[in-house]
């Protein structure tokens, strides 16, 4: 039975995974386990060299140079230790991905659109990693700067399991866990690997079953069936799409998460099942924006005041968070509408919670 071809993200990453990325991840696993077994002290540098080699192999010398250049510029700007300047640099680097002349130049580097898109997706995610390192550098005292060297930035930026599509770990978490030396057990790691592969294979089979039988995205791409559907049917389609999104990211983040475990790191939590969610805020945090939710919370929402500031400050913090998410995803008009609607949903829910927590309202209830 033919599959629904309209979910670009799933089709794209599964195709790349089968062709090259899974083999390169297997190579990373081998290098990681050998370095943990033989040269634990030099594990970060072994993995850095492997990540650079994998980047060169997939993206070519020019793609590798672009990512290295972004890292070098970010590191140089971070030396001023000004968060605002770091953010300005990050936004400028991100904006270069959307300059038409530069897009055309990069397209000419590759034979297919898929190869160009791989560079685009990879550089977008690397921008987040460079920003994380630079902001952590700005926030740390001079005595701690030795742990924020350029080689450590490269080890972080070129760490291969999270290289193309995330998930994101902030630099402090990565460096602390990577420096930690633990007892290595082949038997324990082998059992983690086998159980993890079984789970990911189950999730992949479920996602493939959904995309071959349900045709959710094909239905959404045509206005006619949506116009003739009842409200209950539309609600069911919306739920089905979000459930597929959840299962999809169990696979896409489950694979790098498993490799993080094998490297002795604690992977970011996988998305929660949407059927267990009753809060719009939690839905956004734990399912919809899992890739950069922790990033935006640590580097945008909390520094701007977050929930601890005034009502106006909270609204501004939330608005800036959604604005960045929309811009990072591409900045098209529909993404700004999506961000505005999400901001409105979170604002209404949190406003209602504040009203209901008032003692007079509680007595009335």
């Amino acid at each position: 039975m033919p599959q629904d071809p309209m979910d670009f993200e799933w089709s794209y990453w599964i195709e790349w995974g089968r062709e090259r990325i899974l083999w390169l991840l297997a190579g990373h696993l081998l290098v990681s386990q050998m370095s943990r077994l033989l040269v634990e002290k030099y594990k970060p540098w072994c993995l850095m060299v492997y990540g650079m080699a994998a980047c060169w192999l997939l993206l070519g010398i020019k793609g590798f140079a672009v990512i290295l250049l972004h890292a070098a510029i970010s590191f140089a700007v971070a030396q001023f230790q000004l968060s605002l300047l770091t953010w300005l640099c990050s936004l400028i680097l991100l904006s270069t991905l959307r300059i038409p002349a530069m897009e055309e130049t990069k397209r000419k580097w590759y034979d297919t659109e898929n190869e160009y898109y791989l560079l685009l997706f990879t550089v977008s995610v690397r921008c987040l990693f460079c920003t994380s390192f630079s902001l952590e550098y700005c926030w740390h005292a001079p005595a701690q700067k030795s742990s924020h060297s350029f080689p450590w930035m490269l080890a972080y930026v070129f760490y291969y399991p999270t290289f193309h599509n995330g998930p994101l770990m902030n630099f402090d978490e990565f460096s602390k866990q990577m420096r930690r030396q633990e007892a290595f057990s082949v038997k324990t790691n082998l059992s983690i690997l086998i159980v993890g592969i079984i789970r990911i294979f189950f999730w992949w089979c479920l996602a493939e079953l959904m995309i071959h039988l349900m045709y959710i995205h094909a239905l959404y791409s045509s206005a006619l069936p949506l116009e003739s559907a009842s409200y209950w049917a539309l609600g069911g389609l919306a739920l089905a799409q979000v459930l597929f999104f959840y299962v999809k990211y169990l696979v896409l983040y489950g694979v790098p998460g498993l490799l993080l475990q094998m490297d002795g790191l604690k992977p970011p939590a996988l998305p929660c099942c949407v059927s267990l969610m009753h809060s719009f805020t939690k839905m956004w945090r734990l399912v919809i924006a899992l890739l950069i939710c922790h990033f935006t919370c640590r580097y945008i929402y909390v520094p701007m005041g977050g929930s601890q500031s005034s009502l106006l400050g909270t609204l501004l913090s939330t608005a800036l968070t959604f604005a960045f998410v929309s811009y990072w995803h591409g900045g098209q008009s529909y993404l700004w509408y999506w961000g505005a609607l999400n901001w409105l949903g979170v604002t209404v829910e949190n406003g209602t919670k504040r009203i209901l927590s008032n003692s007079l309202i509680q007595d009335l209830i």
Side-chain angles (χ1 to χ4, degrees):
M1 182 179 292
Q3 72 173 40
D4 181 352
M6 300 307 294
D7 189 279
F8 170 78
E9 188 177 31
W10 176 257
S11 304
Y12 183 85
W13 289 117
I14 291 298
E15 182 181 342
W16 267 108
R18 286 170 177 164
E19 286 183 0
R20 294 188 188 179
I21 291 179
L22 278 180
W23 299 105
L24 289 171
L25 289 174
H28 169 93
L29 179 62
L30 180 62
V31 171
S32 167
Q33 300 311 294
M34 291 300 293
S35 61
R36 290 190 73 185
L37 188 62
L38 302 174
V39 284
E40 176 77 19
K41 184 179 179 181
Y42 301 103
K43 180 182 72 174
W45 316 122
C46 294
L47 297 182
M48 179 191 74
V49 171
Y50 180 84
M52 287 179 161
C55 171
W56 193 318
L57 179 66
L58 272 189
L59 300 178
I61 179 63
K62 293 178 180 177
F64 172 79
V66 167
I67 294 172
L68 192 61
L69 181 63
H70 276 226
I73 292 171
S74 297
F75 184 79
V77 172
Q79 304 309 301
F80 293 98
Q81 299 183 42
L82 296 171
S83 298
L84 186 60
L85 189 60
T86 291
W87 266 116
L88 182 62
C89 172
S90 298
L91 292 173
I92 290 172
L93 289 175
L94 198 57
S95 69
T96 60
L97 301 178
R98 288 147 206 159
I99 298 173
M102 295 189 72
E103 285 183 343
E104 287 305 312
T105 300
K106 291 172 185 174
R107 274 190 167 91
K108 292 175 184 177
W109 296 349
Y110 302 105
D111 296 327
T112 65
E113 281 287 291
N114 274 1
E115 291 175 294
Y116 164 71
Y117 282 129
L118 185 65
L119 173 68
L120 184 65
F121 298 149
T122 303
V123 175
S124 297
V125 176
R126 291 309 93 200
C127 280
L128 298 181
F129 278 67
C130 290
T131 304
S132 174
F133 175 90
S134 299
L135 289 173
E136 297 291 348
Y137 186 95
C138 293
W139 295 346
H140 281 72
Q144 299 172 297
K145 290 291 188 282
S146 60
S147 61
H148 292 68
S149 63
F150 188 60
W152 268 105
M153 183 185 194
L154 294 181
Y156 176 56
V157 169
F158 285 98
Y159 181 67
Y160 195 68
T162 61
F163 190 68
H164 297 294
N165 196 35
L168 184 71
M169 290 181 71
N170 72 55
F171 175 73
D172 271 16
E173 289 176 353
F174 175 83
S175 63
K176 286 175 185 175
Q177 293 179 38
M178 191 62 81
R179 291 170 192 272
R180 187 177 61 221
Q181 296 187 16
E182 298 178 333
F184 178 73
S185 169
V186 175
K187 185 178 179 181
T188 301
N189 262 23
L190 187 60
S191 64
I192 292 172
L193 180 64
I194 292 170
V195 172
I197 289 174
I198 292 170
R199 292 175 67 188
I200 293 167
F201 180 72
F202 171 76
W203 295 332
W204 175 77
C205 289
L206 182 58
E208 284 291 319
L209 192 65
M210 293 174 77
I211 211 164
H212 277 83
L213 298 179
M214 298 180 71
Y215 293 90
I216 312 156
H217 303 88
L219 287 169
Y220 272 115
S221 65
S222 176
L224 187 60
L226 297 179
E227 289 172 353
S228 60
S230 66
Y231 291 128
W232 282 104
L234 290 174
L237 281 171
L239 178 60
Q241 186 178 43
V242 181
L243 284 170
F244 177 76
F245 183 93
Y246 159 66
V247 175
K248 173 171 69 176
Y249 272 91
L250 287 179
V251 177
L252 296 183
Y253 285 171
V255 174
L258 176 59
L259 291 176
L260 283 163
Q261 280 186 283
M262 297 295 291
D263 291 346
L265 309 180
K266 183 181 178 182
L270 290 173
C272 292
C273 180
V274 292
S275 298
L276 302 177
M277 296 290 105
H278 64 276
S279 163
F280 185 79
T281 305
K282 285 185 177 179
M283 171 78 79
W284 200 89
R285 285 179 184 169
L286 300 178
V287 182
I288 299 174
L290 182 73
L291 173 62
I292 57 174
C293 184
H294 295 300
F295 176 92
T296 52
C297 184
R298 179 169 176 80
Y299 300 118
I300 301 176
Y301 185 72
V302 172
M304 289 298 297
S307 59
Q308 303 304 313
S309 63
S310 64
L311 177 60
L312 186 61
T314 302
L315 292 175
L316 179 62
S317 303
T318 311
L320 286 174
T321 299
F322 282 109
F324 177 77
V325 173
S326 300
Y327 184 70
W328 181 79
H329 277 90
Q332 290 89 351
S333 58
Y334 71 89
L335 287 167
W336 293 112
Y337 296 140
W338 173 84
L341 289 171
N342 275 274
W343 174 80
L344 182 62
V346 169
T347 300
V348 168
E349 183 173 85
N350 288 334
T352 304
K353 284 181 180 178
R354 287 194 179 194
I355 293 171
L356 293 177
S357 64
N358 183 279
S359 56
L360 292 175
I361 301 297
Q362 287 288 320
D363 292 341
L364 182 62
I365 292 174

